[in-house]
Amino acid sequence: MERVDHIGIAVRDLDERITYYTETLGLKLLKVEEVESQQVRVAFIDAGNVKIELLEPMSDKSAIHGFIEKRGEGIHHVAFGVTGIRERMAELREKGVRLLSEEPGPGAGGAEVAFMHPKSSFGVLYELCDKSGKGEK
Ligand SMILES: C[C@@H](C(=O)O)C(=O)SCCNC(=O)CCNC(=O)[C@H](O)C(C)(C)COP(=O)(O)OP(=O)(O)OC[C@H]1O[C@@H](n2cnc3c(N)ncnc32)[C@H](O)[C@@H]1OP(=O)(O)O
Ligand SMILES: [Co+2]
């Protein structure tokens, strides 16, 4: 794992929460994007050394929908920036870490992403996020 790329926060209403992060906390909104495959609308907030990813469910098929129903709004995942995501996934699998998919899938900003099951990471949902070749940091 190279660095923390972003911290994912589950929210009920993206526009309302963007106002909190920008106007109340004084942070900068970087972009808003829909990630169809994950059924989420996301906003990236610049927090200096790390981004905050606000996630609003687009439907009840979204993992964020179930999370908010069970636990309410709050910290949902921590994303590690990696390069060579398939190799990293293979290494983790060999070490006994349970991944939620065989292959990475599309994430925000054209990244390839994959998740580790929170049960095998001791209560934390970790994402692997590979933006190599996308020109974004
Ligand atoms: C756009 C993209 C990007 O950055 O580019 C994104 O981030 S998309 C971000 C949204 N997409 C995802 O999160 C996709 C990957 N996530 C998933 O597939 C799911 O959310 C799972 C992590 C498998 C959980 O779903 P499941 O239906 O199993 O829910 P569940 O409520 O039965 O949870 C099973 C157990 O895991 C725990 N659990 C569930 N979600 C958790 C979370 N976020 N953090 C820590 N623990 C969590 C529950 O408390 C439960 O433990 P107990 O059994 O002890 O009660
Ligand atoms: Co994420």
Side-chain angles (χ1 to χ4, degrees), residues 6 53 77 79 127:
H6 64 263
E53 178 187 54
H77 65 270
E127 175 187 329

Side-chain angles (χ1 to χ4, degrees), residues 6-8 44 53 55 77 79 113 115 127:
H6 64 263
I7 297 168
F44 283 97
E53 178 187 54
L55 303 122
H77 65 270
V113 302
F115 293 85
E127 175 187 329

Side-chain angles (χ1 to χ4, degrees), residues 4-9 11 14-33 42-55 108 131 137:
V4 174
D5 180 83
H6 64 263
I7 297 168
I9 315 269
V11 304
L14 193 66
D15 297 325
E16 277 184 17
R17 295 303 170 261
I18 288 172
T19 304
Y20 173 73
Y21 280 85
T22 56
E23 291 180 17
T24 309
L25 300 186
L27 296 168
K28 188 173 162 228
L29 173 66
L30 294 170
K31 66 171 176 182
V32 177
E33 183 182 340
V42 305
F44 283 97
I45 305 286
D46 183 358
N49 55 338
V50 72
K51 282 168 287 189
I52 292 172
E53 178 187 54
L54 306 177
L55 303 122
K131 291 183 205 161
K137 261 281 174 191

Side-chain angles (χ1 to χ4, degrees), residues 6 35 38 40 42 44 53 55 62-64 66-67 70-71 75-77 79 100 106-109 111 113 115-119 123-125 127 129:
H6 64 263
V35 183
Q38 293 284 347
V40 287
V42 305
F44 283 97
E53 178 187 54
L55 303 122
S62 168
I64 301 301
F67 180 87
K70 270 198 178 170
R71 298 192 178 195
I75 295 185
H76 180 259
H77 65 270
L100 287 171
V113 302
F115 293 85
M116 304 180 213
H117 198 285
K119 289 285 160 198
V124 182
L125 175 58
E127 175 187 329
C129 176

Side-chain angles (χ1 to χ4, degrees), residues 66-112:
F67 180 87
I68 290 175
E69 289 294 298
K70 270 198 178 170
R71 298 192 178 195
E73 293 181 283
I75 295 185
H76 180 259
H77 65 270
V78 174
F80 288 117
V82 300
T83 46
I85 190 166
R86 286 177 174 75
E87 291 77 7
R88 301 292 85 74
M89 290 171 76
E91 288 164 6
L92 288 169
R93 239 182 250 115
E94 270 174 32
K95 290 175 178 169
V97 177
R98 188 171 149 203
L99 297 169
L100 287 171
S101 60
E102 284 297 312
E103 293 286 318
E112 292 188 284

